[in-house]
Amino acid sequence: MDHAAEAHRTDLMTITRYVLNEQSKHPESRGDFTILLSHIVLGCKFVCSAVNKAGLAKLIGLAGETNVQGEEQKKLDVLSNEVFIKALVSSGRTCILVSEEDEEATFVEPSKRGRYCVVFDPLDGSSNIDCGVSIGTIFGIYMIKEGGEPKLEDVLQPGKNMLAAGYCMYGSSCTLVLSTGSGVNGFTLDPSLGEFILTHPDIKIPKKGKIYSVNEGNAKNWDGPTAKYVEKCKFPKDGSPAKSLRYIGSMVADVHRTLLYGGVFLYPADKKSPNGKLRVLYEVFPMSFLMEQAGGQAFTGKQRALDLVPKKIHERSPIFLGSYDDVEEIKALYAAEEQK
Ligand code: AFP
């Protein structure tokens, strides 16, 4: 190994070092965001370890089941939720938490309150746990609006107001992808160090991709533009090669592949689910934020996804996100439909 490569290998950019570097660009910063992020990272490490042990530790199963030792076992998504809620509250930097697992938002008690609102899905894709497929945690961070007590409106802000968003994928490796609003970076957990190391600096999604990702089992209920787009992927009329279909059914894994290899991920509206399936606050917004920061686009079928203003914390929206040119084609199909 030459000296330059050796120097690189021994000069580890951990996620904390990266965020501290970013913080130093803002002299007014008090380090609150760095502290908040270190608590999110802790939650991710815990969930990663629990997911890795799931098969062995018999953590899988219905909430409330008992294991062979007679101990109460928690379902992994319930456990992950508890871990994140406790980590976020104890950071002392949060005021409102919205989790996929909890019907109501959590308002942090005044003595532990900070200025950040965190929306998250602690274990997305949990129906994939039992077969060992990659799953993940998705999160988005807002700042409370100025003045007064924290209110639900503080988390019902459009996605473009997010300060940061990311996901952690528990797969063949544990990868945390983060954007604080100036590009996207990927960090991989080095289990021997217990640290996330910068392995994917400044991720840019290819302008056009060769993959589309959708649950085609819903095709009979799709609207015209979605059906036309998928038909175009399979039978292009402009002489370009057909796209490949890849669909895991775990948003973090499908979006991660889309981000790195390009293409589109879509969860459209259909006749049965006119608002699609995915949740605005903790699935659609964070992933759309990351896509835009990586040079891609995210569209709901009607508008830029990050312009949506949610009315309810568990609201759903159709979503088409990925490579810039591919999403542009989908937008054109919806625009043509509108003209009819
Ligand atoms: P689960 O958490 O119930 O597994 O749902 C996962 C998810 O919310 C998202 O991660 C997937 O992209 C999407 O649902 C898959 O939905 P379909 O099973 O309807 O394709």
Side-chain angles (χ1 to χ4, degrees):
M1 194 180 283
D2 64 26
H3 283 311
E6 179 63 22
H8 190 65
R9 200 171 68 90
T10 50
D11 186 21
L12 301 175
M13 178 61 83
T14 64
I15 193 163
T16 313
R17 181 176 158 196
Y18 172 82
V19 176
L20 282 170
N21 280 354
E22 288 293 297
Q23 185 190 311
S24 64
K25 294 179 194 159
H26 306 276
E28 74 289 354
S29 163
R30 296 182 304 186
D32 287 345
F33 184 79
T34 310
I35 293 171
L36 170 64
L37 194 79
S38 70
H39 282 74
I40 293 178
V41 165
L42 176 68
C44 293
K45 285 182 194 169
F46 182 97
V47 175
C48 176
S49 151
V51 168
N52 287 339
K53 285 189 289 213
L56 289 170
K58 298 232 181 309
L59 280 162
I60 302 169
L62 296 172
E65 265 188 3
T66 48
N67 68 6
V68 280
Q69 283 89 32
E71 295 158 342
E72 259 236 347
Q73 290 298 297
K74 289 202 165 108
K75 226 171 134 185
L76 263 180
D77 43 9
V78 177
L79 181 68
S80 307
N81 190 42
E82 268 185 42
V83 166
F84 274 101
I85 296 273
K86 286 181 181 158
L88 290 167
V89 170
S90 66
S91 75
R93 300 300 184 275
T94 59
C95 51
I96 310 178
L97 309 175
V98 172
S99 165
E100 194 266 346
E101 286 289 319
D102 297 322
E103 209 161 306
E104 306 290 340
T106 301
F107 286 80
V108 178
E109 62 176 89
S111 64
K112 296 191 175 135
R113 235 176 235 170
R115 296 174 302 154
Y116 293 104
C117 312
V118 184
V119 291
F120 61 103
D121 187 342
L123 203 55
D124 189 65
S126 48
S127 63
N128 289 298
I129 297 172
D130 290 4
C131 60
V133 163
S134 298
I135 47 182
T137 298
I138 311 174
F139 59 91
I141 302 174
Y142 289 109
M143 175 81 81
I144 185 178
K145 289 179 181 164
E146 280 307 311
E149 287 287 289
K151 294 177 292 302
L152 212 50
E153 292 82 74
D154 291 312
V155 283
L156 297 176
Q157 302 189 51
K160 65 183 173 200
N161 291 1
M162 278 184 171
L163 300 178
Y167 60 79
C168 186
M169 186 177 72
Y170 313 110
S172 53
S173 55
C174 179
T175 308
L176 200 155
V177 174
L178 175 73
S179 175
T180 52
S182 50
V184 180
N185 288 283
F187 303 82
T188 304
L189 183 65
D190 181 334
S192 61
L193 298 173
E195 291 276 9
F196 280 99
I197 308 294
L198 180 64
T199 47
H200 297 70
D202 197 18
I203 297 173
K204 292 279 175 249
I205 183 170
K207 193 151 180 290
K208 192 168 174 60
K210 299 186 179 109
I211 299 172
Y212 72 104
S213 185
V214 65
N215 184 344
E216 283 217 59
N218 297 328
K220 77 173 162 59
N221 291 318
W222 285 344
D223 63 14
T226 302
K228 275 191 200 133
Y229 180 71
V230 171
E231 184 73 4
K232 245 179 120 181
C233 290
K234 297 198 257 194
F235 305 102
K237 295 207 173 84
D238 58 0
S240 59
K243 290 192 193 300
S244 292
L245 167 64
R246 299 280 183 273
Y247 189 70
I248 297 168
S250 172
M251 191 188 195
V252 173
D254 281 316
V255 169
H256 189 63
R257 183 202 53 248
T258 306
L259 200 56
L260 296 187
Y261 297 170
V264 268
F265 167 83
L266 37 152
Y267 209 110
D270 62 46
K271 280 184 210 129
K272 275 189 0 214
S273 322
N275 295 320
K277 175 183 180 190
L278 301 179
R279 311 290 183 145
V280 171
L281 275 184
Y282 39 80
E283 291 182 311
V284 170
F285 278 173
M287 296 312 202
S288 300
F289 189 91
L290 291 166
M291 276 300 159
E292 285 199 3
Q293 286 291 325
Q297 296 198 69
F299 176 63
T300 64
K302 291 198 173 101
Q303 63 182 137
R304 174 189 176 212
L306 292 179
D307 284 340
L308 256 181
V309 185
K311 293 190 182 62
K312 292 184 296 189
I313 58 173
H314 296 297
E315 195 167 305
R316 299 170 198 265
S317 168
I319 186 70
F320 304 83
L321 52 79
S323 292
Y324 193 94
D325 287 354
D326 293 314
V327 178
E328 206 57 24
E329 275 183 37
I330 297 171
K331 284 162 79 176
L333 289 167
Y334 273 94
E337 182 83 356
E338 282 238 315
Q339 300 294 311
K340 280 186 187 165

